Amino acid sequence: MDLFENVHEVRSWVLRQRTKGEPVHLVPTMGFLHEGHLSLIRRAKAEAGHVVVSIFVNPKQFGPGEDFLVYPRDLPKDLAMANDAGADAVFAPAIPDMYPTGFQTHISVPEIASRLCGAVRPGHFDGVAVIVLKLLNIVQPDRAYFGLKDRQQLQLIARMVRDLNVPVDLVACPTVRESDGLAMSSRNSYLSKEERAQAPVIYKALQLAQKQVKAGERDAKTIEHDARKLIEREPLAKVQYLEVVDPETMERIATVHERAVIVCAVLLGKTRLIDNLLLEA
Ligand code: AMP
């Protein structure tokens, strides 16, 4: 596996694969890899591509006072894990390489970006959009792999790719969970023992919603109310948002018809965790 630390190097590598006629697949990450990331890398490899994993903690998607400085980082361990999962190259640029002096371009997908995570993290999705578009332009992959764990992010990227005719196929991958249901996340490492013990309630609440829909409940307010109540039974858990939304537009809906998604952000102490689950009537 190769490690590239600047744009020029990774571009030359991609060009070499292209001249051999080999497809290139990209898995964008912020590192501190876990099984969720590895599932994306394995899938990208299984779909017969040369796999580039990008590792970049993107300052533009963190707001003031957020966890950019303390976001967990462990490049040597990430390299070993990416290699074991089948990556062919890791692209781990430094900040000035991605945002050189004078950088000023802004990408905005305003409707999707204004809701849910975007409403509580202003500017977050503009930062996501610009870094993802840059990575897609640098690597020019045939396919790019994203986790459904970050469903709003995925819908925003899908919208941007359609709107700007970016020549890439997006592949949505299922959420990988711990055995007690907690969605894997690099931020789980922030949880204290007590917070970690209460965190599985998030998935339990989403599953409750799924059961209610399967049993015939269609009223989104009732579903939201019951899920929120279950989460807030845990003393350290505070719901930041919890909504039943349209799976594509991420707009809140009042009634579950065929497909909806329940999405939430929950604070456990200072740690903010997000999760979502498809509700099928
Ligand atoms: P991150 O490093 O958190 O920015 O995530 C990089 C990619 O991995 C994104 O496409 C995420 O949606 C995906 N991802 C993160 N956690 C999981 C998970 N538990 N299951 C599946 N994909 C995940």
Side-chain angles (χ1 to χ4, degrees), residues 32 34 38 97 113 126 128 140 211 219 236 276:
F32 210 68
H34 52 64
L38 301 184
D97 207 39
D126 296 352
V128 170
Q140 298 182 15
K211 260 191 236 145
D219 179 48
L236 300 176
N276 70 87

Side-chain angles (χ1 to χ4, degrees), residues 57-76:
V57 184
N58 172 33
K60 284 196 187 286
Q61 70 187 71
F62 290 79
E66 289 191 348
D67 56 343
F68 173 69
L69 291 174
V70 297
Y71 193 85
R73 294 161 170 90
D74 190 343
L75 187 60

Side-chain angles (χ1 to χ4, degrees), residues 28-31 34 36-37 39-40 71 145-150 153 173-176 183-186:
T29 82
M30 297 206 299
H34 52 64
H37 299 114
S39 72
L40 271 51
Y71 193 85
Y145 293 75
F146 294 91
L148 282 163
K149 150 93 171 26
D150 300 279
Q153 168 175 282
C173 303
T175 301
V176 177
M184 288 193 182
S185 163
S186 307

Side-chain angles (χ1 to χ4, degrees), residues 103-177:
F103 187 96
Q104 55 186 281
T105 300
H106 184 85
I107 307 281
S108 171
V109 190
E111 282 179 30
I112 296 181
S114 65
R115 304 190 183 111
L116 307 168
C117 284
V120 281
R121 301 183 70 189
H124 166 67
F125 283 121
D126 296 352
V128 170
V130 82
I131 194 62
V132 172
L133 188 57
K134 279 178 69 75
L135 290 167
L136 292 174
N137 282 335
I138 291 165
V139 176
Q140 298 182 15
D142 297 273
R143 294 184 187 172
Y145 293 75
F146 294 91
L148 282 163
K149 150 93 171 26
D150 300 279
R151 189 182 281 270
Q152 187 180 8
Q153 168 175 282
L154 176 59
Q155 291 308 333
L156 175 120
I157 293 165
R159 185 73 258 165
M160 175 182 77
V161 160
R162 282 200 298 274
D163 288 353
L164 300 181
N165 305 92
V166 183
V168 65
D169 288 329
L170 301 180
V171 182
C173 303
T175 301
V176 177
R177 300 178 179 281

